[in-house]
Amino acid sequence: MSATRARLLPAAVLGLSAVLGLTACSSGQTAGGSDGSAAPVSGKISLTYLQKQGDQEYFVGEAAGAKAKADELGIDLKVVNLGNDANKTVGEVQSAIAQKSNGLIVVVPDPAVGPQIVQTAKDAKVALLTSDDQVCATGPAPASCAKGDLVPRIGFSGDQMGAEVGKRAAEEYKKAGWKAADTRIISAWKQDVTVCGDRVKAAKAAFDSAVPGVTTLDVATDNTPTGAQDKVAATVTANPGVKHWVVWGCNDENVQGGVTALQNAGIAPQDIDGVGLGAYLACKSWKSGKPSGMKAALFINGKDVGALAVQTMYDHLKNGKKFPAEAFAPTKMVDAATWQAAGVNCG
């Protein structure tokens, strides 16, 4: 869920905060978008959805949700897979503008390209919205960006997601009867992605409030399963004598990679408390029916985000509705007994 997910907005944009639920609940406050000079569209709307890691399960679902909503609204939608190539992001944005897209929805591989994308869209008078991850209009690091310079974003609340993960991890820890002295927490994430930092910090705060005294080991990864597996394997080697392990991270990729590394190191599933974020990889462990250190996962449905992003862009371009600073889709904690009923797609 990723892992893994960013960003964009010029200084002229209003920095008022608003949080919309998927059911359209609102605080009543709205923020301007990065498209202050974009003209309303009277005819058919053309949108381009540019995604990092477009072949990842979460983003596949996001694209499907976006396409379904576009079909419902009569929108011409093109989805572009950027992979992990930041340079491709800039070129594809320019290409979309040249192809007369009225609006761009972007999940950038690297927030450093944010200012260039914002300026390009602004110059072309094209509406710009981000999904999943944050982007800053005035600098490469969203974490140090003024709120008014963050591009309007559709996605999930990092604080809320992290808190749910930390809470469930603490519940599993207590149920197992472990002790802090022989337990370590692995917190794994790509450390230059702001929303990842939000998630793991909230997970730690929620866990510590319920179970104080357990040492946390921060592990820098690239938000992929293999990247996390390699880094966690090294962490386990460097910490001999630990009997029990708690694992959380930015997305399912980090947790699944961490759980795999631990099990490969000879740690039994009953001594691993992994809580994923996404559920699209966690469910594969449960589907197999084999014992797994993946005890639970927060289900985040990419389809909801894709649909909400397209709806939000449509409302802006067709009806003149200002972009919210952020709009959040709902989440649900699932485990081996509940994931199927919750509707997790485990393809």
Side-chain angles (χ1 to χ4, degrees), residues 82-121:
L82 301 173
N84 290 306
D85 190 344
N87 292 327
K88 184 177 180 180
T89 308
V90 177
E92 291 291 352
V93 164
Q94 293 171 337
S95 177
I97 291 172
Q99 293 171 25
K100 307 300 182 183
S101 282
N102 304 117
L104 308 175
I105 305 170
V106 186
V107 193
V108 301
D110 186 339
V113 301
Q116 185 174 356
I117 292 173
V118 172
Q119 191 61 50
T120 300

Side-chain angles (χ1 to χ4, degrees), residues 3-340:
T4 170
R5 299 149 172 224
R7 34 292 213 196
L8 323 145
L9 193 161
V13 176
L14 297 176
L16 299 177
S17 173
V19 176
L20 298 182
L22 192 62
T23 56
C25 295
S26 171
S27 66
Q29 294 178 299
T30 57
S34 57
D35 48 43
S37 56
V41 179
S42 57
K44 188 171 186 178
I45 292 174
S46 176
L47 302 181
T48 303
Y49 210 128
L50 304 103
Q51 300 174 304
K52 70 178 183 182
Q53 300 174 336
D55 57 352
Q56 184 195 79
E57 188 70 29
Y58 170 85
F59 288 115
V60 170
E62 184 176 79
K67 290 174 183 176
K69 179 58 69 172
D71 288 344
E72 176 188 325
L73 298 173
I75 292 172
D76 182 9
L77 175 70
K78 179 181 180 181
V79 177
V80 178
N81 179 10
L82 301 173
N84 290 306
D85 190 344
N87 292 327
K88 184 177 180 180
T89 308
V90 177
E92 291 291 352
V93 164
Q94 293 171 337
S95 177
I97 291 172
Q99 293 171 25
K100 307 300 182 183
S101 282
N102 304 117
L104 308 175
I105 305 170
V106 186
V107 193
V108 301
D110 186 339
V113 301
Q116 185 174 356
I117 292 173
V118 172
Q119 191 61 50
T120 300
K122 182 180 179 182
D123 290 344
K125 297 181 173 60
V126 171
L128 182 62
L129 183 65
T130 63
S131 69
D132 303 290
D133 302 334
Q134 288 183 314
V135 166
C136 180
T138 55
S144 58
C145 188
K147 286 186 177 180
D149 292 332
L150 289 170
V151 179
R153 179 179 76 92
I154 307 299
F156 297 99
S157 166
D159 289 342
Q160 180 268 329
M161 289 193 298
E164 289 297 319
V165 168
K167 178 182 176 182
R168 180 57 180 262
E171 291 173 0
E172 296 290 339
Y173 173 97
K174 290 179 178 179
K175 185 166 63 176
W178 297 347
K179 298 185 181 303
D182 55 14
T183 302
R184 294 293 182 271
I185 299 167
I186 289 176
S187 180
W189 79 104
K190 192 172 188 293
Q191 297 184 353
D192 62 351
V193 177
T194 309
V195 293
C196 288
D198 293 341
R199 295 171 189 178
V200 297
K201 288 175 186 175
K204 179 173 173 55
F207 186 93
D208 287 350
S209 67
V211 184
V214 182
T215 299
T216 299
L217 305 175
D218 293 332
V219 179
T221 75
D222 61 0
N223 276 356
T224 69
T226 54
Q229 183 176 335
D230 291 344
K231 293 297 181 69
V232 171
T235 301
V236 174
T237 300
N239 290 270
V242 176
K243 294 182 180 180
H244 312 295
W245 295 87
V246 179
V247 188
W248 63 60
C250 179
N251 53 19
D252 252 25
E253 285 79 359
N254 281 289
V255 182
Q256 185 62 64
V259 168
T260 299
L262 289 165
Q263 293 183 174
N264 287 348
I267 308 298
Q270 62 264 30
D271 292 318
I272 304 170
D273 173 12
V275 180
L277 205 163
Y280 45 86
L281 292 183
C283 67
K284 295 181 179 181
S285 297
W286 304 327
K287 190 176 182 180
S288 72
K290 297 178 181 178
S292 171
M294 187 75 82
K295 296 302 189 292
L298 190 66
F299 177 33
I300 57 175
N301 194 340
K303 289 183 179 179
D304 291 342
V305 173
L308 184 56
V310 169
Q311 182 71 61
T312 302
M313 181 65 80
Y314 176 88
D315 289 342
H316 178 78
L317 292 175
K318 185 63 70 174
N319 304 318
K321 185 176 180 180
K322 289 184 177 180
F323 287 140
E326 292 184 300
F328 298 145
T331 62
K332 181 181 181 64
M333 188 64 69
V334 296
D335 55 30
T338 62
W339 67 274
Q340 290 175 303

